[in-house]
Structure formats: structure tokens, C-alpha cells
Amino acid sequence: MTTIEITNLRKEYSVKGGVEVAVDGIDLAIEDGEFVSIVGPSGCGKTTTLRCLAGLEIPTAGTIAFDSVDVTDVPANKRGLAMMFQDIALYPHMTVRENIAYPLKIDGVDREQRHETAREAAAVMQIEELLDKYPGDLSGGQQQRTGLARTIVQDPLAFLMDEPLSDLDAQLKVEMRREIQRVHKRLGKPTIYVTHDQEEALTMSDRVVVLNDGRIEQVGTTGEVYNRPANTFVATFIGNPSINYLDGTVASASEEQATVSVHGAEFRFRTDGPTSLEAGATVTVGIRPQHISVTSDATDGHLAGQLSLFEPVDDRAHTTIRGPDGELRAVTSANARLREGDDVGLVVDEDNVLLFDDETGELLGRSGETEVVSQRG
């Protein structure tokens, strides 16, 4: 059993003219057997966090503990972790067997035992028949499986993975995601997975950590960060196509409820606790493209606009509509009888509207089980 606890982690770098803060006050607990993805834009501190966890970087402040034992100053090779990087770096002069077994060779395991362990790891990754081949003889997917086998052969306390799939094509990414999940479920070790790809994070993780400028914006299950984003940064970063934002005005507000007018349509929200909103206050309303239906009747809907772009993607289509607050995005059927230039109506899923503070961007509430109380006149 392994639990990982990061407390008040801070990492600074000396740069010309001062100090650059890469990670600032991160607190995170990872349970035994949990798969946690860290996501965020480039430069947000996700790789630095992972390197501090691995012992490749020494934190400026804060602590890292495994099973309540402080390992903040313990060298990387003494932490019992296995890492898989974007560059899998197989040794071209070694066979697949020798590449997989190399960490065991470094640890002084005898040849017969390490080769048997490598065979077992290769069997897990379904590449046992490739053990005598060299990396140059392998496909990209086979090389990735070899890299993953080399990682799991170490029987570590936890796995750390830094953008391991970013160089793969789309089909191979999906295949390798399944392999990583399968291995994770079989071994049951904590896995911390760094990626900029939200799809990877949402499909693989028990929980997702969203970083921005070295700070945690939200930690939650995939459903929580998608359906109840903590703020507009998380709402924008998580979800594809990106969320739509509309200007709203508070029509009325009580202790834990607010009615908001959005270009003639009124939505009722349950707020997250007592609210200080007052009638007339401006707010931001967020609606995901998946929660907007497009109708060919411009008078049938909560909002209206003009269809400017229709992009079929498999059995769906991403549509762009010129609406009252600029462009809006919606996801429709690829077979929808819609043409670019048409005036259309936009029907909002009344159970999936988000309300944000206009100044701070913090989530105030969502429509949940409430309903739209009126439509455009």
C-alpha cells in the first residue's frame, strides 16, 4: 500500500533579474491505487511538480511524503518510483529483452532472474514474441509497449508518467491509453500522469488536477471538473469544443437561488451557498456546445443566430453560430438539415447551464434540476 502526500510545494528558479516561481503552494493527496492526471497549459508547472515528486528537482519549500514518511530530500534512485517520459529512449544496441530488463541490471539482479522478469512484463504488454528483436525492428506501438514494460518491471511504489503518448498518432494514442489503463488496474499502484491532452486525462483518470500558473485551480473526478468546474479557467480548459460564455443579468436573487436573464431567456440557478447577488448585477453564463441543440426554426429556441460554419466530425457536426454575444459553438448530428447562412434557433439544455462571477470567474452555481422559466418573447 502506498499513499502520496504533497504539502505546500513550492519550486523557484533563479533567472536573470530575479526569481521565477514554477510551482506555488501545491497541496495534493494521492490514494493507494489511484490514477491521477495533472493537466494544464504549457508552463503551468505540471512537469516541475512531477520532477519534484520523482526527486529530480529539490523543492524550494514544502514536503513530499510516501506513507507518511518524509522523502523530500531523498535521492531519486532511493524513492522506489518508476518513470515513463515522452521520449522512451530505448537502447538501439540492446534487444527488447535487454531493454526491459535494464533497470533490474542496474539494481544488481542476476541475469536469469531479470530476463525471466522481463519475459513476464513482456507477456503483460503482449510483446513476448518480440523479446529477441531490436528497437529498430519495432513499430511505434511496439516501442511504446517495450517502454511501458521496462517501467512496470521495476515493481515500484508508484508510476510517474510525463506526456508519454504525445508523439503518437491518434489511433495509437487510443490503443496505448487502453494498455496503460489495463496495466494500472492489474498492478494497482498509484499513477501520476502528466498531460496537456484533456481527452487523455478525462478518459483515464480517477481524479484530475487542473494547474494554472503553478497553482491548483481544481481537483476532482472527471465528472466534477467537467460538470462543476471551479471557475471559468477550468471550464474553458476542460471540454472540447470549448465552452460558450454569454453575458447575463440577475433578474432576481434569494438566499440560495438566482434567476438570470440572458438576452430574453431566463434561467434559474441554485447557487453554491448563500449569494450576495442582487437584481441588476452582471454575471457570466456558461453553456457547453454539447448542451445546445440547433433548430432550423429561428423562432424555436432560447436564443437565435445565424449558422456560419458546419463541420462534420464522424456522426456529429461542430457548428458555429453568430449569436447575440459573438460566436457560439454547438454539437449537432452530422445529418442535421442545416446550411451555412441559415437563421437558426438555439435550444439550451436547461439542466446544464453554469453561472460564474463576472469579476472573479468563480463558479456560483448551475441550473441542475431547475428549469428555464421563460423563453424569448
Side-chain angles (χ1 to χ4, degrees), residues 15-16 50 56 133 142 242 252 266 303 309 328 340 348 352 372 377:
V15 296
K16 186 177 181 179
L50 198 73
L56 301 175
K133 292 185 178 294
Q142 291 168 340
S242 188
S252 63
E266 288 192 349
L303 302 167
L309 189 61
L328 293 172
E340 293 175 359
V348 177
N352 287 287
V372 178

PDB file of all heavy atoms in Angstrom, residues 15-16 50 56 133 142 242 252 266 303 309 328 340 348 352 372 377:
ATOM      1  N   VAL A  15      16.451  33.325 -12.194  1.00  0.00           N
ATOM      2  CA  VAL A  15      16.525  33.760 -13.582  1.00  0.00           C
ATOM      3  C   VAL A  15      17.121  35.164 -13.611  1.00  0.00           C
ATOM      4  O   VAL A  15      17.231  35.833 -12.578  1.00  0.00           O
ATOM      5  CB  VAL A  15      15.131  33.763 -14.246  1.00  0.00           C
ATOM      6  CG1 VAL A  15      14.561  32.354 -14.320  1.00  0.00           C
ATOM      7  CG2 VAL A  15      14.170  34.688 -13.497  1.00  0.00           C
ATOM      8  N   LYS A  16      17.505  35.558 -14.777  1.00  0.00           N
ATOM      9  CA  LYS A  16      18.090  36.893 -14.911  1.00  0.00           C
ATOM     10  C   LYS A  16      17.095  37.945 -14.440  1.00  0.00           C
ATOM     11  O   LYS A  16      15.976  38.027 -14.930  1.00  0.00           O
ATOM     12  CB  LYS A  16      18.481  37.145 -16.370  1.00  0.00           C
ATOM     13  CG  LYS A  16      19.226  38.443 -16.584  1.00  0.00           C
ATOM     14  CD  LYS A  16      19.661  38.604 -18.032  1.00  0.00           C
ATOM     15  CE  LYS A  16      20.423  39.909 -18.241  1.00  0.00           C
ATOM     16  NZ  LYS A  16      20.866  40.060 -19.650  1.00  0.00           N
ATOM     17  N   LEU A  50       5.913  16.960 -11.099  1.00  0.00           N
ATOM     18  CA  LEU A  50       6.261  15.550 -11.236  1.00  0.00           C
ATOM     19  C   LEU A  50       7.736  15.313 -10.951  1.00  0.00           C
ATOM     20  O   LEU A  50       8.107  14.330 -10.301  1.00  0.00           O
ATOM     21  CB  LEU A  50       5.915  15.060 -12.648  1.00  0.00           C
ATOM     22  CG  LEU A  50       5.824  13.542 -12.823  1.00  0.00           C
ATOM     23  CD1 LEU A  50       4.562  13.018 -12.159  1.00  0.00           C
ATOM     24  CD2 LEU A  50       5.841  13.152 -14.288  1.00  0.00           C
ATOM     25  N   LEU A  56      13.895  14.441  -8.898  1.00  0.00           N
ATOM     26  CA  LEU A  56      14.784  15.034  -9.909  1.00  0.00           C
ATOM     27  C   LEU A  56      14.950  16.533  -9.699  1.00  0.00           C
ATOM     28  O   LEU A  56      15.846  17.150 -10.274  1.00  0.00           O
ATOM     29  CB  LEU A  56      14.230  14.755 -11.315  1.00  0.00           C
ATOM     30  CG  LEU A  56      14.068  13.270 -11.669  1.00  0.00           C
ATOM     31  CD1 LEU A  56      13.407  13.120 -13.036  1.00  0.00           C
ATOM     32  CD2 LEU A  56      15.424  12.567 -11.658  1.00  0.00           C
ATOM     33  N   LYS A 133      14.094  -9.238 -30.640  1.00  0.00           N
ATOM     34  CA  LYS A 133      14.244  -8.215 -31.674  1.00  0.00           C
ATOM     35  C   LYS A 133      14.894  -6.963 -31.091  1.00  0.00           C
ATOM     36  O   LYS A 133      14.988  -6.798 -29.872  1.00  0.00           O
ATOM     37  CB  LYS A 133      12.888  -7.867 -32.286  1.00  0.00           C
ATOM     38  CG  LYS A 133      12.264  -9.000 -33.105  1.00  0.00           C
ATOM     39  CD  LYS A 133      10.999  -8.555 -33.773  1.00  0.00           C
ATOM     40  CE  LYS A 133      10.405  -9.669 -34.635  1.00  0.00           C
ATOM     41  NZ  LYS A 133      11.290 -10.001 -35.780  1.00  0.00           N
ATOM     42  N   GLN A 142       4.850  -0.920 -30.765  1.00  0.00           N
ATOM     43  CA  GLN A 142       5.666  -1.937 -30.098  1.00  0.00           C
ATOM     44  C   GLN A 142       6.759  -1.295 -29.255  1.00  0.00           C
ATOM     45  O   GLN A 142       7.074  -1.769 -28.152  1.00  0.00           O
ATOM     46  CB  GLN A 142       6.262  -2.879 -31.139  1.00  0.00           C
ATOM     47  CG  GLN A 142       5.228  -3.776 -31.811  1.00  0.00           C
ATOM     48  CD  GLN A 142       5.772  -4.484 -33.040  1.00  0.00           C
ATOM     49  OE1 GLN A 142       6.784  -4.066 -33.628  1.00  0.00           O
ATOM     50  NE2 GLN A 142       5.104  -5.558 -33.450  1.00  0.00           N
ATOM     51  N   SER A 242     -14.744  24.071 -26.923  1.00  0.00           N
ATOM     52  CA  SER A 242     -14.686  24.875 -25.712  1.00  0.00           C
ATOM     53  C   SER A 242     -16.050  25.459 -25.362  1.00  0.00           C
ATOM     54  O   SER A 242     -16.904  25.698 -26.227  1.00  0.00           O
ATOM     55  CB  SER A 242     -13.669  26.007 -25.897  1.00  0.00           C
ATOM     56  OG  SER A 242     -13.457  26.683 -24.679  1.00  0.00           O
ATOM     57  N   SER A 252     -33.512  38.337 -10.451  1.00  0.00           N
ATOM     58  CA  SER A 252     -33.895  38.307  -9.044  1.00  0.00           C
ATOM     59  C   SER A 252     -32.979  37.321  -8.331  1.00  0.00           C
ATOM     60  O   SER A 252     -32.398  36.424  -8.948  1.00  0.00           O
ATOM     61  CB  SER A 252     -35.366  37.885  -8.879  1.00  0.00           C
ATOM     62  OG  SER A 252     -35.561  36.566  -9.369  1.00  0.00           O
ATOM     63  N   GLU A 266     -34.725  33.399 -19.480  1.00  0.00           N
ATOM     64  CA  GLU A 266     -34.418  33.434 -18.060  1.00  0.00           C
ATOM     65  C   GLU A 266     -34.136  32.021 -17.549  1.00  0.00           C
ATOM     66  O   GLU A 266     -34.875  31.078 -17.844  1.00  0.00           O
ATOM     67  CB  GLU A 266     -35.570  34.073 -17.278  1.00  0.00           C
ATOM     68  CG  GLU A 266     -35.662  35.572 -17.516  1.00  0.00           C
ATOM     69  CD  GLU A 266     -36.596  36.245 -16.533  1.00  0.00           C
ATOM     70  OE1 GLU A 266     -37.326  35.530 -15.813  1.00  0.00           O
ATOM     71  OE2 GLU A 266     -36.601  37.494 -16.486  1.00  0.00           O
ATOM     72  N   LEU A 303     -32.385  31.154 -27.769  1.00  0.00           N
ATOM     73  CA  LEU A 303     -31.586  32.184 -28.420  1.00  0.00           C
ATOM     74  C   LEU A 303     -31.698  31.980 -29.925  1.00  0.00           C
ATOM     75  O   LEU A 303     -32.150  30.931 -30.397  1.00  0.00           O
ATOM     76  CB  LEU A 303     -30.118  32.087 -27.986  1.00  0.00           C
ATOM     77  CG  LEU A 303     -29.824  32.189 -26.488  1.00  0.00           C
ATOM     78  CD1 LEU A 303     -28.389  31.747 -26.199  1.00  0.00           C
ATOM     79  CD2 LEU A 303     -30.057  33.609 -25.986  1.00  0.00           C
ATOM     80  N   LEU A 309     -20.806  28.149 -39.793  1.00  0.00           N
ATOM     81  CA  LEU A 309     -19.897  27.062 -40.154  1.00  0.00           C
ATOM     82  C   LEU A 309     -20.487  25.737 -39.680  1.00  0.00           C
ATOM     83  O   LEU A 309     -20.972  25.622 -38.558  1.00  0.00           O
ATOM     84  CB  LEU A 309     -18.534  27.278 -39.492  1.00  0.00           C
ATOM     85  CG  LEU A 309     -17.384  26.364 -39.925  1.00  0.00           C
ATOM     86  CD1 LEU A 309     -17.093  26.511 -41.415  1.00  0.00           C
ATOM     87  CD2 LEU A 309     -16.130  26.657 -39.115  1.00  0.00           C
ATOM     88  N   LEU A 328     -21.006  31.363 -31.150  1.00  0.00           N
ATOM     89  CA  LEU A 328     -21.354  30.280 -30.252  1.00  0.00           C
ATOM     90  C   LEU A 328     -21.078  28.961 -30.957  1.00  0.00           C
ATOM     91  O   LEU A 328     -21.175  28.872 -32.187  1.00  0.00           O
ATOM     92  CB  LEU A 328     -22.838  30.337 -29.871  1.00  0.00           C
ATOM     93  CG  LEU A 328     -23.305  31.518 -29.024  1.00  0.00           C
ATOM     94  CD1 LEU A 328     -24.821  31.508 -28.918  1.00  0.00           C
ATOM     95  CD2 LEU A 328     -22.682  31.444 -27.646  1.00  0.00           C
ATOM     96  N   GLU A 340     -25.066  26.516 -44.021  1.00  0.00           N
ATOM     97  CA  GLU A 340     -24.376  27.746 -43.647  1.00  0.00           C
ATOM     98  C   GLU A 340     -25.130  28.943 -44.212  1.00  0.00           C
ATOM     99  O   GLU A 340     -25.551  28.939 -45.370  1.00  0.00           O
ATOM    100  CB  GLU A 340     -22.936  27.706 -44.152  1.00  0.00           C
ATOM    101  CG  GLU A 340     -22.106  26.635 -43.443  1.00  0.00           C
ATOM    102  CD  GLU A 340     -20.696  26.502 -44.013  1.00  0.00           C
ATOM    103  OE1 GLU A 340     -20.375  27.228 -44.964  1.00  0.00           O
ATOM    104  OE2 GLU A 340     -19.930  25.645 -43.494  1.00  0.00           O
ATOM    105  N   VAL A 348     -31.312  25.461 -25.400  1.00  0.00           N
ATOM    106  CA  VAL A 348     -30.347  25.180 -24.345  1.00  0.00           C
ATOM    107  C   VAL A 348     -30.876  24.066 -23.449  1.00  0.00           C
ATOM    108  O   VAL A 348     -32.052  24.048 -23.070  1.00  0.00           O
ATOM    109  CB  VAL A 348     -30.090  26.449 -23.511  1.00  0.00           C
ATOM    110  CG1 VAL A 348     -29.138  26.154 -22.352  1.00  0.00           C
ATOM    111  CG2 VAL A 348     -29.537  27.559 -24.398  1.00  0.00           C
ATOM    112  N   ASN A 352     -28.158  22.012 -17.645  1.00  0.00           N
ATOM    113  CA  ASN A 352     -26.694  22.073 -17.753  1.00  0.00           C
ATOM    114  C   ASN A 352     -26.204  23.468 -18.120  1.00  0.00           C
ATOM    115  O   ASN A 352     -25.461  23.656 -19.091  1.00  0.00           O
ATOM    116  CB  ASN A 352     -26.200  21.059 -18.789  1.00  0.00           C
ATOM    117  CG  ASN A 352     -26.276  19.634 -18.292  1.00  0.00           C
ATOM    118  OD1 ASN A 352     -25.487  19.217 -17.454  1.00  0.00           O
ATOM    119  ND2 ASN A 352     -27.264  18.897 -18.788  1.00  0.00           N
ATOM    120  N   VAL A 372     -35.788  26.263 -17.211  1.00  0.00           N
ATOM    121  CA  VAL A 372     -35.912  27.587 -17.790  1.00  0.00           C
ATOM    122  C   VAL A 372     -37.322  28.091 -17.502  1.00  0.00           C
ATOM    123  O   VAL A 372     -38.300  27.403 -17.777  1.00  0.00           O
ATOM    124  CB  VAL A 372     -35.664  27.528 -19.314  1.00  0.00           C
ATOM    125  CG1 VAL A 372     -35.840  28.902 -19.925  1.00  0.00           C
ATOM    126  CG2 VAL A 372     -34.283  26.999 -19.588  1.00  0.00           C
ATOM    127  N   GLY A 377     -39.346  36.379 -25.968  1.00  0.00           N
ATOM    128  CA  GLY A 377     -40.709  36.764 -26.272  1.00  0.00           C
ATOM    129  C   GLY A 377     -41.026  36.731 -27.743  1.00  0.00           C
ATOM    130  O   GLY A 377     -40.191  36.603 -28.589  1.00  0.00           O
TER     131      GLY A 377
END
